[in-house]
Amino acid sequence: MLTEKKIKELELKANHIRQSIIEALLPAKSGHSAGPLGMADIFTYFYFHALKHDPKNPDWADRDRVVLSNGHICPVLYASMAHAGYFPVEELKTLRKLGSRLQGHPHREWLPGIETSSGPLGSGVSQAAGMALADKMDHGQTATRRIYAFLSDGELQEGNSWEGIMFAGKYKLHNLLAIVDYNNIQIEGYVDDVMPLEPLADKWRSFNWHVLEVDGHDLRAIDEAVEHAHTIFEKPTVILAHTIPGKGVSFMERNYKWHGMPPNAEQAAQALDELKKAEELIKSAQ
Amino acid sequence: MINPKLKLNPKIWNDDVEQAPIRKGFGTGLLAAGEADKSIVGICADLTESTQMHLFAEKFPERFVQVGVAEQDLVTVASGMAAMGKMPFTSSYAMFSPGRNWEQIRTTIAYNDQPVVIVGSHAGISVGPDGGTHQALEDIALMRVLPRMIVLAPCDSVEAKKATMALAKLKKPAYLRLAREKSPIITTEETPFEIGKAQIFHETDGIAHVGVIACGALVHNAMKAAHKLEKEGVRVKVMNMATIKPLDTAAVIALAKECGAIVTVEEHQIAGGLGGAIAECLAGSIPTPIEFVGVHDEYGQSGAPLELIEHYHMGVSHITDAIKKVLDRKG
Ligand SMILES: Cc1ncc(C[n+]2csc(CCOP(=O)(O)OP(=O)(O)O)c2C)c(N)n1
Ligand SMILES: [Mg+2]
């Protein structure tokens, strides 16, 4: 269980990561804002609490594996990795530039700590399931490395997603935990309108997964869900994380137009202003 | 000099030449075709505006179908609708359609001979900052290898509009390659267009020394290279190859016979693309030295579009270099 102190620490970290996302997107002049901001709390929780990893030794064999399937939200992955010590925070400003390790979509070969390249949607669950199955082949129920698959709601419209979900159910991959960014937006509008997923929990359940739902900004609830998932030995678990796209920047929140747009200078200044005020509030509450 | 018979854009050499994204021509073309033919339906996978299908979707909502992020569904639903008498245009990014759903296209559209047009936008390195995962450099090869598939790669948005309208009338399995970035307008409304017909955009005074065959937005760079060398006394013909399949073999062979040296230019892998098609044609008829301008067996990366064109050696200077090299080989 997370202590009050740890929660405050994580909240502050998530705030810094949100600021870094804005600071990276501004000079990039292209890229995605809504998804990354919405997933900042969850990525903070993993990179600064749950994940077994060593930023100074990204190839450490016993590390947990992170598969980011919806590669376009990489600004939150890069910012989390930078703050965790994988590379200098300053480097975030090279996002999407020629020669940068921080490619527009994650590149496994170029940046240590990236387990797989992504961007084309819908192939994350299967890759994570492959990793989980390989580990179970060698270690059975005692496999201790966790395989975390981060997915988006939009990409659950891809057939490949459901092939992977069916597969993981068949092999009872207890070491696999999927986290879905259920923010109800995609490029052209609300997921509900473009191609509805509901009843989503029932779909996963009928594919033999254990299903949990949380508020994706409630660190305590996220922690409880992840801890609970560790106790499930007979199936893979999915956490449907309800998040607010653009979370923390008032004019971006819940607006699908911000799916694939970066802030301009004025918008970035306003976003950073809001985030700095939020930072003060977190600090003063300590 | 510019071929006067084709009524090309007279401002082609100017720095302020009009620019528009090639995909835009598809959008306006589909709208016009949809007005004329009620059997046309538009099907998209969460990229309606990016691929410019929104113009059609807004005008004809009852003939627009949204499949979500599902490219395999996109083309197989299209095949089914075609089987019932519709003329479907499907659109996505080239990386995902035909990149992801190739076998579905092969069996349910090409093998089945269903009239579906697969529109692949954001093809090539000029996609820019999204990076290597989104830069389709293999799509011409993927589609060209399919028996029956027609493959078009228009050079500007005006030609893309004509290509779209021609495909709407043709009603055959076809692939239409589009680019994201704006690029110079080379042709005009008056420029003739016919599927399967190559055109000499840059003419020479007397027999040409080298023939350049190009497709897509890089036709403009090829024209500039020819223009530059003309001043140095090197006579270069530039052929716009908007139809990569079926290839206008008569035109290619005639150009090779005249010049005895060919350069191909495309925003695509050298393997399997336009250059490959030209090499296959000439090797079987009149073997001719060829230099290939394009991407040499590597993936792209993030960067600004023009910066990437230079970085991956598809700029004007790289084309002039290739022309000089092939001239040397010709001896
Ligand atoms: C296979 C594939 N098809 C299409 C795309 C283009 N695309 C990028 S993001 C996106 C929307 C996906 O929705 P979601 O991941 O839920 O977006 P978010 O919540 O981050 O706004 C689409 C269609 C892609 N990257 N991959
Ligand atoms: Mg979403």
Side-chain angles (χ1 to χ4, degrees):
Chain A
M1 219 184 72
L2 296 175
T3 60
E4 278 309 307
K5 187 161 162 279
K6 183 76 190 176
I7 285 178
K8 291 288 166 215
E9 235 176 78
L10 292 175
E11 278 175 358
L12 198 58
K13 193 61 84 181
N15 175 282
H16 292 160
I17 285 170
R18 285 192 168 91
Q19 293 190 39
S20 288
I21 290 170
I22 299 293
E23 284 164 349
L25 285 167
L26 175 64
K29 295 198 178 73
S30 71
H32 302 77
S33 299
L37 288 169
M39 284 297 282
D41 299 306
I42 288 175
F43 271 74
T44 302
Y45 169 76
F46 277 95
Y47 275 85
F48 293 89
H49 182 68
L51 210 57
K52 198 168 68 181
H53 67 143
D54 178 0
K56 296 294 168 218
N57 182 16
D59 293 334
W60 175 40
D62 283 340
R63 71 189 183 280
D64 291 337
R65 301 297 199 270
V66 171
V67 172
L68 177 63
S69 185
N70 50 332
H72 65 273
I73 72 162
C74 60
V76 69
L77 173 67
Y78 295 155
S80 305
M81 288 173 68
H83 281 273
Y86 281 86
F87 57 86
V89 172
E90 228 2 71
E91 196 173 335
L92 289 171
K93 294 193 173 133
T94 68
L95 176 67
R96 294 181 156 246
K97 304 280 186 211
L98 187 70
S100 171
R101 298 195 289 177
L102 310 183
Q103 288 290 294
H105 293 83
H107 196 329
R108 177 183 117 86
E109 235 188 328
W110 287 19
L111 186 65
I114 300 289
E115 304 287 355
T116 184
S117 303
S118 58
L121 295 165
S123 51
V125 192
S126 292
Q127 291 177 76
M131 292 175 182
L133 180 64
D135 218 19
K136 268 188 92 159
M137 268 179 187
D138 294 343
H139 304 288
Q141 290 298 112
T142 64
T144 53
R145 292 178 292 198
R146 310 284 316 179
I147 315 296
Y148 296 109
F150 292 87
L151 321 172
S152 71
D153 46 7
E155 71 175 329
L156 293 180
Q157 294 160 354
E158 286 283 355
N160 195 168
S161 296
W162 296 98
E163 293 169 28
I165 294 166
M166 193 179 325
F167 175 93
K170 173 187 172 185
Y171 285 98
K172 302 184 168 52
L173 301 174
H174 75 280
N175 48 346
L176 172 61
L177 174 59
I179 300 101
V180 177
D181 176 15
Y182 201 176
N183 62 7
N184 198 27
I185 66 159
Q186 57 190 100
I187 294 182
E188 314 234 279
Y190 298 109
V191 173
D192 258 353
D193 297 327
V194 175
M195 183 56 70
L197 297 171
E198 288 296 333
L200 187 57
D202 288 347
K203 284 193 174 77
W204 285 85
R205 232 173 255 126
S206 68
F207 278 64
N208 298 315
W209 284 59
H210 185 67
V211 182
L212 302 168
E213 294 203 50
V214 299
D215 167 350
H217 307 297
D218 180 342
L219 289 162
R220 193 173 281 114
I222 295 165
D223 181 56
E224 278 168 12
V226 173
E227 288 297 326
H228 174 71
H230 289 349
T231 68
I232 306 294
F233 275 91
E234 47 301 328
K235 322 173 150 179
T237 298
V238 59
I239 298 176
L240 302 178
H242 295 271
T243 64
I244 296 171
K247 171 81 175 169
V249 177
S250 60
F251 58 94
M252 291 183 184
E253 287 188 0
R254 296 186 181 80
N255 184 349
Y256 67 82
K257 296 277 180 216
W258 284 100
H259 156 85
M261 237 189 355
N264 63 24
E266 194 188 322
Q267 291 160 336
Q270 191 189 330
L272 288 173
D273 185 57
E274 288 184 18
L275 289 167
K276 289 206 167 100
K277 281 185 182 134
E279 179 183 359
E280 287 318 309
L281 277 179
I282 298 166
K283 280 182 177 159
S284 63
Q286 263 168 345
Chain B
M1 67 193 159
I2 299 177
N3 184 348
K5 287 187 220 129
L6 295 178
K7 305 213 164 50
L8 299 175
N9 184 359
K11 285 171 71 183
I12 190 171
W13 310 126
N14 300 9
D15 285 339
D16 66 342
V17 55
E18 305 93 317
Q19 303 218 5
I22 293 177
R23 61 192 159 121
K24 206 166 166 197
F26 159 68
T28 51
L30 184 64
L31 180 62
E35 256 149 20
D37 181 350
K38 301 285 170 248
S39 75
I40 290 178
V41 292
I43 316 180
C44 194
D46 199 24
L47 291 167
T48 316
E49 196 175 330
S50 291
T51 62
Q52 299 288 298
M53 194 180 264
H54 66 297
L55 299 176
F56 177 92
E58 283 159 14
K59 184 80 189 279
F60 304 112
E62 72 289 352
R63 280 194 269 148
F64 171 72
V65 180
Q66 170 64 265
V67 299
V69 194
E71 296 77 15
Q72 299 173 88
D73 197 40
L74 174 73
V75 295
T76 40
V77 164
S79 169
M81 293 185 78
M84 299 300 279
K86 301 291 182 196
M87 171 65 233
F89 278 75
T90 66
S91 74
S92 178
Y93 292 167
M95 198 65 254
F96 313 129
S97 179
R100 170 158 300 193
N101 51 17
W102 182 83
E103 185 279 329
Q104 281 91 348
I105 291 172
R106 182 185 187 273
T107 307
T108 75
I109 295 171
Y111 193 74
N112 260 349
D113 198 14
Q114 291 295 359
V116 174
V117 177
I118 297 124
V119 178
S121 185
H122 294 50
I125 205 102
S126 57
V127 162
D130 272 348
T133 52
H134 283 54
Q135 294 158 350
L137 298 170
E138 304 85 4
D139 54 312
I140 295 176
L142 284 175
M143 291 291 94
R144 188 168 83 74
V145 75
L146 293 177
R148 210 154 21 215
M149 185 64 71
I150 288 160
V151 180
L152 302 187
C155 68
D156 66 13
S157 78
V158 176
E159 190 176 60
K161 181 177 177 187
K162 292 175 198 158
T164 305
M165 294 173 73
L167 287 172
K169 286 219 174 83
L170 188 68
K171 301 201 185 331
K172 294 250 169 75
Y175 175 55
L176 179 63
R177 181 183 218 229
L178 307 172
R180 170 184 193 273
E181 270 301 293
K182 19 185 218 316
S183 57
I185 305 288
I186 306 169
T187 63
T188 64
E189 293 297 334
E190 284 76 50
T191 308
F193 175 84
E194 199 183 320
I195 292 173
K197 273 269 172 287
Q199 292 169 318
I200 302 287
F201 275 12
H202 192 268
E203 270 291 358
T204 50
D205 230 347
I207 289 182
H209 299 123
V210 175
V212 175
I213 304 176
C215 66
L218 287 183
V219 168
H220 192 253
N221 276 0
M223 298 279 284
K224 278 166 96 175
H227 190 55
K228 195 160 163 242
L229 290 177
E230 188 174 59
K231 293 174 192 154
E232 298 173 22
V234 184
R235 297 196 293 270
V236 179
K237 277 198 168 148
V238 176
M239 180 178 276
N240 175 38
M241 194 59 83
T243 307
I244 293 166
K245 190 176 182 182
L247 191 67
D248 188 346
T249 51
V252 172
I253 291 168
L255 185 68
K257 269 192 182 141
E258 175 184 342
C259 310
I262 296 288
V263 171
T264 62
V265 181
E266 64 197 306
E267 220 182 301
H268 190 273
Q269 300 287 355
I270 295 303
L274 170 69
I278 301 299
E280 288 161 17
C281 166
L282 293 180
S285 49
I286 47 162
T288 309
I290 307 178
E291 285 296 320
F292 303 94
V293 174
V295 178
H296 288 262
D297 203 26
E298 57 185 328
Y299 294 109
Q301 61 171 306
S302 294
L306 294 182
E307 183 179 45
L308 290 169
I309 293 285
E310 291 298 326
H311 186 84
Y312 288 93
H313 292 199
M314 292 173 281
V316 175
S317 69
H318 305 106
I319 300 172
T320 54
D321 286 352
I323 292 171
K324 288 177 180 162
K325 198 162 163 201
V326 83
L327 258 179
D328 280 351
R329 285 176 57 196
K330 180 175 150 182

